[in-house]
Amino acid sequence: MSGTGGAVSAYPAEYARWRAAPEDFWRQAAGALQWSRRPGVVCDRTREPFIRWFPDGELNACHNAVDRHVEAGRGEQLALLHVSAMTGAEQRFTFAQLRAEVARLAGALRELGVERGDRVVIYMPMVPEAVFAMLACARLGAVHSVVFGGFAARELAVRIDDAQPKVVLSASCGLEPNRVIDYKDLLDRALQLSQHAPRACVILQRPQLTAPLQTGRDLDWRACLAATQHDADCVPVNATDPLYILYTSGTTGKPKGVVRDTGGYCVALAYSMSAVYGARAGEVFWAASDIGWVVGHSYIVYGPLLHGCATLMFEGKPVGTPDAGTYWRIVERYRVATLFTAPTAIRAIKREDPEGLLMRASDTSSLRALFLAGERADPDTVNWAGAQLGKPVIDHWWQTETGWPVVANCLGLGLLPTRVGSPTKPVPGFEVCVLDDRGVELPRGTQGALALRLPLAPGSLPTLWNNDAGFLQSYLERWPGYYATGDGGYIDADGYVYVLGRTDDVINVAGHRLSTGELEQALSGHAEVAECAVIGVSDALKGTVPVGLVVRKAGAATPPTELQAQLVRRVRDEVGPVAAFQRCYIVARLPKTRSGKILRGTMRRIADGVPYETPATIEDPLVLDEIARALRP
């Protein structure tokens, strides 16, 4: 089951309340936080489309995430739980212990010259010190920019030059199955390539690899903390001050550094933890992601801690560390109430454990719901997980730029009935529209470009770092009054939103526009398909034709040629002959980013014989060679 919406949902009334009086709605939501100066103005639109939320308010994100829980008498409550499948280690921190760690690190940063408004780049693996680092920056009013650990030196250099950090916080290494990644070497090479030189690099030495330190620039993390004279208190900042910069994946040319403001973001996350996720203070909330991505910022670090939850931080993979039962054993051991992961993780688990035997070997009764986001959740995966778990599986849609969910079945408001292929309805704060190429709103049931009517909700990006012009060009100029999401889809007669994929994943086959998402839905419904991707490949006759790439489930018995024939027939039956679907290849795996997104654009270029660069975000570059052999034998 994927959530049937048994009781009457409060969602319609809540959404109507926001529509009727949006500023009153967000003023009330802001009451969940502690402000050093409560905002009198909710939304400043004087520089529209540059909108600012709570412009005269003042607060500190770290105080709201950590200190206020200690001051409220919950200092001994569990705040951070770190589990490493790579080392077998487990660490627990109460709110009081978390405050002590963060205050000491913030003091060390201040002694290195970091003050309010300065930038700090964090290039670290999934260890507790990475969370301490983010919160320590917030404590000082400094702006952190987390770069995914293990990113290539060139990409790290570009981000260092754009953010111009006063300090870089890093580690000697990161751990992957069967390998150790030398982070310090990557950082050294990045600093050789970059124009900007930070004052200091503070390096956490991990026992798996000891990194050489450069005299005059590099400091040992533990020695630096030991020498710190004073802990740092929280520094109040303006609600409109930046909390962090997060660079979007696949950046080329001038980086797109998504700016997140402090006040609007904290208000939105606190609201979402209750309304969207139905989480309760004191529970264990697990976002199985990485701090390098927006999910890690919003729902490993800030969201759960703002809400008073214990957040679980996991260093490992859904499969292979050691097997496809890892997630479910963690749910049982730590009594996880909410699990949030990417559809690709569930597909990987389904591929290795198609009957759910490893899942049922663990007690998952503590789990209230499984949330999926980060890419399109195909109905087969949603239905499989729901049937195995016996709990709601909630697909929801949002982006790095929005910072929190745009469309979701809001568990905290009471689930609505689900519809196959839809993440349900817009979350209060967002109005989703479907536009044609001219920016005209299309009627219900008609496919087009998904856009959000301005103003964007609190928590969404107010601009790009040092790049207002790029912000306008990338998101707002195409259709004045709307934010262009870059995704296509439609809204049905009852207001359910269907996200069919990126607008550049709509292919034109002999004049017929087809969404690759529709074709993938047909393929993924086959009993032996673990995951799949469809790309549009150039064709002299039809302009573009769809090509499928399919990964089989473990133990699949149908011979490859017969499976390919079955899949071609399946698409013909479900989508129609207009799709002209005739080519389908079986591959061992699909190329993905580290966050789990399938690299369809790169595969298109391979298929068309067009030169391409290996994306900096790719999880394993060798997969591209396998794809090339399949597409261009």
Side-chain angles (χ1 to χ4, degrees):
M1 61 188 230
S2 57
T4 55
V8 175
S9 173
Y11 166 83
E14 182 83 340
Y15 194 80
R17 183 170 73 87
W18 165 71
R19 288 292 300 270
E23 294 202 9
D24 289 344
F25 181 93
W26 289 117
R27 181 179 286 108
Q28 181 178 333
L33 302 178
Q34 284 188 0
W35 300 78
S36 49
R37 185 174 66 234
R38 291 191 61 82
V41 177
V42 175
C43 184
D44 177 8
R45 303 180 67 164
T46 55
R47 292 186 59 240
E48 203 162 7
F50 294 97
I51 295 158
R52 298 293 181 263
W53 289 95
F54 312 110
D56 57 347
E58 191 178 79
L59 78 168
N60 181 276
C62 180
H63 173 82
N64 276 278
V66 182
D67 296 64
R68 73 182 173 109
H69 300 305
V70 179
E71 294 170 2
R74 297 194 296 275
E76 298 311 305
Q77 179 186 310
L78 184 64
L80 173 63
L81 176 61
H82 180 261
V83 181
S84 175
M86 313 306 300
T87 66
E90 172 200 296
Q91 293 177 274
R92 296 169 180 256
F93 301 87
T94 65
F95 276 104
Q97 291 168 332
L98 181 60
R99 181 174 68 171
E101 295 282 357
V102 171
R104 174 51 52 101
L105 180 55
L109 288 173
R110 173 167 287 165
E111 290 177 12
L112 291 173
V114 175
E115 299 290 346
R116 175 179 171 179
D118 289 336
R119 276 80 59 207
V120 174
V121 162
I122 300 170
Y123 182 65
M124 298 188 72
M126 289 289 284
V127 291
E129 288 83 358
V131 176
F132 305 160
M134 295 169 72
L135 292 169
C137 292
R139 193 173 191 85
L140 295 175
V143 182
H144 64 71
S145 182
V146 179
V147 179
F148 186 93
F151 247 26
R154 180 176 62 85
E155 298 298 328
L156 176 57
V158 168
R159 288 152 174 77
I160 288 172
D161 277 339
D162 195 61
Q164 298 197 332
K166 189 168 281 186
V167 171
V168 174
L169 299 176
S170 189
S172 60
C173 67
L175 305 179
E176 295 283 340
N178 305 315
R179 63 178 177 145
V180 175
I181 302 174
D182 190 337
Y183 280 20
K184 181 57 165 52
D185 178 63
L186 289 166
L187 174 59
D188 287 343
R189 286 192 277 141
L191 291 173
Q192 290 173 357
L193 294 169
S194 63
Q195 299 298 312
H196 175 78
R199 285 189 185 178
C201 297
V202 184
I203 308 299
L204 176 71
Q205 298 281 17
R206 301 189 76 183
Q208 294 79 13
L209 179 67
T210 300
L213 301 183
Q214 179 177 308
T215 303
R217 186 196 71 190
D218 298 341
L219 301 171
D220 178 87
W221 186 292
R222 293 180 180 87
C224 187
L225 290 184
T228 298
Q229 298 296 310
H230 302 287
D231 293 350
D233 292 329
C234 294
V235 176
V237 300
N238 295 329
T240 54
D241 282 356
L243 176 62
Y244 65 78
I245 306 164
L246 184 57
Y247 292 96
T248 56
S249 59
T251 298
T252 56
K254 183 169 178 59
K256 287 171 63 176
V258 168
V259 173
R260 196 76 66 208
D261 66 354
T262 301
Y265 186 56
C266 289
V267 169
L269 291 187
Y271 176 75
S272 72
M273 288 296 297
S274 174
V276 177
Y277 297 102
R280 300 165 190 165
E283 292 181 338
V284 177
F285 188 97
W286 180 20
S289 183
D290 190 283
I291 58 162
W293 311 125
V294 68
V295 172
H297 284 64
S298 295
Y299 296 112
I300 294 177
V301 182
Y302 291 107
L305 294 176
L306 286 167
H307 200 55
C309 292
T311 184
L312 194 152
M313 185 182 197
F314 176 61
E315 184 181 37
K317 303 287 185 182
V319 297
T321 59
D323 57 34
T326 296
Y327 275 19
W328 319 121
R329 288 192 294 273
I330 290 175
V331 167
E332 176 182 16
R333 178 174 174 81
Y334 302 106
R335 307 303 295 163
V336 174
T338 308
L339 172 57
F340 176 176
T341 191
T344 190
I346 301 302
R347 284 195 289 268
I349 292 170
K350 181 180 71 169
R351 180 187 177 192
E352 299 296 320
D353 185 28
E355 303 304 318
L357 299 179
L358 291 172
M359 181 189 295
R360 288 194 293 276
S362 296
D363 177 6
T364 57
S365 60
S366 64
L367 198 62
R368 186 177 301 118
L370 169 66
F371 284 84
L372 302 176
E375 57 174 329
R376 186 172 178 274
D378 59 283
D380 185 59
T381 297
V382 173
N383 292 337
W384 179 85
Q388 301 296 336
L389 283 171
K391 301 290 175 70
V393 178
I394 300 173
D395 174 25
H396 60 322
W397 173 66
W398 50 295
Q399 301 178 324
T400 298
E401 290 84 353
T402 67
W404 64 291
V406 174
V407 179
N409 204 350
C410 294
L411 182 62
L413 300 177
L415 292 178
L416 296 168
T418 58
R419 297 189 179 177
V420 173
S422 172
T424 314
K425 295 188 177 184
V427 174
F430 292 101
E431 183 179 355
V432 181
C433 306
V434 181
L435 307 180
D436 66 12
D437 291 339
R438 299 167 297 161
V440 176
E441 288 196 37
L442 295 169
R444 295 285 177 92
T446 305
Q447 287 189 31
L450 295 176
L452 307 179
R453 192 185 304 277
L454 299 181
L456 291 173
S460 304
L461 80 168
T463 189
L464 296 174
W465 180 252
N466 286 337
N467 193 5
D468 285 352
F471 171 66
L472 294 174
Q473 182 180 15
S474 296
Y475 305 108
L476 304 184
E477 282 185 351
R478 184 175 184 188
W479 299 306
Y482 299 91
Y483 163 89
T485 70
D487 281 310
Y490 65 96
I491 302 174
D492 73 11
D494 298 313
Y496 282 69
V497 178
Y498 293 76
V499 184
L500 298 177
R502 304 298 291 174
T503 49
D504 57 7
D505 287 333
V506 174
I507 58 177
N508 193 315
V509 181
H512 298 279
R513 288 171 59 84
L514 295 170
S515 165
T516 56
E518 293 177 289
L519 303 176
E520 289 171 5
Q521 184 169 317
L523 292 175
S524 65
H526 191 286
E528 292 192 0
V529 172
E531 58 182 340
C532 63
V534 174
I535 57 174
V537 176
S538 297
D539 180 80
L541 180 62
K542 296 180 180 295
T544 307
V545 294
V547 171
L549 297 106
V550 168
V551 178
R552 295 195 294 176
K553 291 179 182 175
T558 305
T561 53
E562 174 57 25
L563 178 58
Q564 289 169 310
Q566 290 178 13
L567 292 170
V568 169
R569 288 196 299 270
R570 186 178 179 87
V571 170
R572 184 181 182 89
D573 291 343
E574 295 195 11
V575 181
V578 68
F581 186 76
Q582 297 176 340
R583 294 166 59 190
C584 185
Y585 302 103
I586 296 173
V587 296
R589 49 190 180 154
L590 295 171
K592 297 175 184 176
T593 66
R594 296 173 193 266
S595 63
K597 293 182 180 178
I598 296 171
L599 292 164
R600 292 175 177 84
T602 303
M603 290 194 291
R604 277 198 301 269
R605 287 187 281 275
I606 291 173
D608 287 338
V610 176
Y612 68 93
E613 289 187 11
T614 300
T617 55
I618 194 168
E619 187 171 44
D620 183 356
L622 295 178
V623 185
L624 296 180
D625 294 334
E626 300 171 19
I627 295 299
R629 286 193 292 270
L631 291 172
R632 302 179 65 81

